[in-house]
Amino acid sequence: MKITDIRLGMLRVPLKTAFKTALRTVNSTEDVVIIVETDSGNTGYGAAPATAVITGDIHGSIIEAIRTVIKPRLLGQDIADLNHIIRLIQGSIMKNYSAKAAVEMAVYDLFAQLYKAPLYKILGGGVPKITTDLTISVDYIDKMVADSLSAIDRGFETLKVKVGKDIGVDIERVKAIYAAVEGKALIRLDANQGWTAKEAVYALHKLEDAGVRLELVEQPVKAYDLEGLKYITERVHTPVMADESSFGPREVIELIKMRAADIINIKLMKTGGIANAIKIADICSFYDMQCMIGCMLEGSISVAAAVHVAVAKSDVITKIDLDGPSLCAFDPVTSSVSFNDADITIADAPGLGITAIEGLEMLA
């Protein structure tokens, strides 16, 4: 099974409601879709969103990195030589993690098809069912409370609440949501780098003293502020999770050495794909540190790949934040991964099991 061509397309899906964080507001998912074709007739799929404020990647950079740099290196390569292909992808260009991730997942899709097994079985097996949280966008307090109760009605038992806009209002937002959902759902906070270290400690102490019990707080400070992250971790009871501070294995090792975080958030768009995600999970497992697997605002192709990783590494990936497809108005992709609000399941089909993509606009 040798690679004969790599084609690109765009897939746009409207959201049910606007996605708002401390960094941005978005109304739809817009993914670059990668189609890797082979001489055996098998096709592998991958995808990547533009997340300029986090990864630095935009649609144009993803497309050009794949088209002009990664694709020429992969044509003619044998899918059976997986590790060699991964080295070619990762060594082809600096950074450009989303482009690398999209191509990598398509290659892994084909590798699993080669052995006629679902990807998660190739990665180590597991129970093909997980449960995700749902993101509650930052908004007026009443709207956030209403959105939280609506999520519970849909069957979600964990909510990831976006904060980081205004420290005083953030505290009131969380208190109001907690009062409305206590005993019905767990709350995770995500400040998206919106606080300073001292603000984070102040806010979390205020919430803890008010009896608010949070499952975790995610990336309260700027990505580069590892000392700030450590400052918070040492001073609050709430577990602190590193997201934008932890892209690849090297950053994770540094965070562990510094004891700067309690949990690591793995995202394929940060790691550059599945291979480094697995390395991070293995590193964290060795140090008895839990991981979450998350996603950017992206559709079901790339999230499906993350689902397979989550199932295969469920011993260390104990928290799931793969709600991208649940935020979309509909899912145009037919695959072996079924997104049913909080419940995500994998059927027994080779690779990612993608058989159709409606509305895909192929790029010239």
Side-chain angles (χ1 to χ4, degrees):
M1 188 188 292
K2 293 185 178 181
I3 297 173
T4 56
D5 198 9
I6 298 177
R7 298 188 294 135
L8 300 168
M10 287 294 302
L11 185 62
R12 297 174 175 85
V13 183
L15 300 180
K16 292 174 182 174
T17 185
F19 180 85
K20 300 177 183 179
T21 74
L23 297 174
R24 58 182 180 148
T25 298
V26 185
N27 293 295
S28 64
T29 62
E30 298 184 359
D31 295 342
V32 178
V33 176
I34 287 77
I35 302 170
V36 178
E37 298 177 341
T38 65
D39 60 0
S40 64
N42 294 76
T43 302
Y45 294 92
T51 315
V53 294
I54 299 174
T55 64
D57 297 323
I58 61 175
H59 290 131
S61 67
I62 294 169
I63 291 166
E64 286 306 304
I66 294 170
R67 213 179 240 162
T68 63
V69 181
I70 301 174
K71 175 180 174 178
R73 293 184 174 221
L74 300 192
L75 294 179
Q77 295 296 325
D78 193 330
I79 291 296
D81 199 355
L82 177 66
N83 289 338
H84 174 65
I85 295 177
I86 299 306
R87 286 193 294 271
L88 289 177
I89 294 169
Q90 295 300 326
S92 63
I93 188 170
M94 291 294 293
K95 300 187 183 297
N96 287 274
Y97 302 117
S98 299
K100 292 175 181 176
V103 178
E104 244 205 32
M105 64 182 69
V107 170
Y108 269 95
D109 183 11
L110 287 166
F111 186 74
Q113 289 180 44
L114 179 64
Y115 293 99
K116 298 179 174 56
L119 179 56
Y120 78 90
K121 290 186 178 180
I122 295 295
L123 298 177
V127 179
K129 181 178 181 179
I130 57 176
T131 303
T132 184
D133 62 8
L134 187 71
T135 299
I136 305 300
S137 289
V138 64
D139 214 314
Y140 297 111
I141 293 175
D142 289 349
K143 176 69 162 57
M144 293 182 74
V145 169
D147 288 346
S148 299
L149 293 173
S150 175
I152 292 171
D153 288 342
R154 291 170 58 188
F156 290 94
E157 296 180 348
T158 305
L159 308 177
K160 187 166 87 163
V161 177
K162 295 290 188 179
V163 290
K165 285 279 191 180
D166 179 294
I167 196 73
V169 179
D170 284 340
I171 292 169
E172 296 308 313
R173 285 181 175 116
V174 178
K175 284 182 179 178
I177 293 170
Y178 187 79
V181 307
E182 185 180 5
K184 302 174 186 176
L186 296 175
I187 295 179
R188 302 166 175 168
L189 291 192
D190 186 1
N192 283 115
Q193 309 179 62
W195 294 336
T196 66
K198 287 188 176 181
E199 283 177 336
V201 171
Y202 169 79
L204 292 168
H205 281 172
K206 282 284 188 182
L207 292 169
E208 290 170 354
D209 290 345
V212 175
R213 297 292 173 258
L214 302 171
E215 186 189 18
L216 58 87
V217 60
E218 181 176 353
Q219 198 63 48
V221 295
K222 298 295 184 185
Y224 59 77
D225 190 8
L226 302 190
E227 291 293 341
L229 204 62
K230 178 180 174 67
Y231 178 92
I232 300 163
T233 301
E234 291 176 340
R235 287 166 174 80
V236 301
H237 294 295
T238 303
V240 176
M241 182 168 70
D243 181 10
E244 290 91 343
S245 292
S246 59
F247 269 59
R250 290 181 184 276
E251 292 94 334
V252 170
I253 291 170
E254 183 65 18
L255 286 164
I256 292 172
K257 286 167 61 178
M258 289 179 63
R259 298 182 182 274
D262 302 298
I263 307 165
I264 299 295
N265 192 351
I266 300 171
K267 292 178 180 174
L268 300 186
M269 297 304 141
K270 294 188 305 173
T271 63
I274 292 171
N276 275 336
I278 291 170
K279 288 178 184 177
I280 291 172
D282 288 342
I283 290 166
C284 290
S285 178
F286 184 80
Y287 285 97
D288 293 322
M289 177 176 274
Q290 292 184 29
C291 294
M292 172 188 282
I293 192 159
C295 59
M296 304 301 182
L297 188 58
E298 54 194 276
S300 66
I301 295 174
S302 50
V303 176
V307 170
H308 282 266
V309 174
V311 168
K313 291 294 179 181
S314 60
D315 59 323
V316 62
I317 298 176
T318 58
K319 304 178 190 304
I320 309 295
D321 177 33
L322 298 176
D323 61 348
S326 295
L327 298 172
C328 291
F330 60 90
D331 186 359
V333 180
T334 302
S335 78
S336 60
V337 179
S338 175
F339 297 92
N340 184 21
D341 283 334
D343 297 324
I344 305 174
T345 56
I346 307 175
D348 193 24
L352 297 178
I354 295 172
T355 57
I357 305 174
E358 295 182 15
L360 179 62
E361 302 172 16
M362 297 307 299
L363 299 177

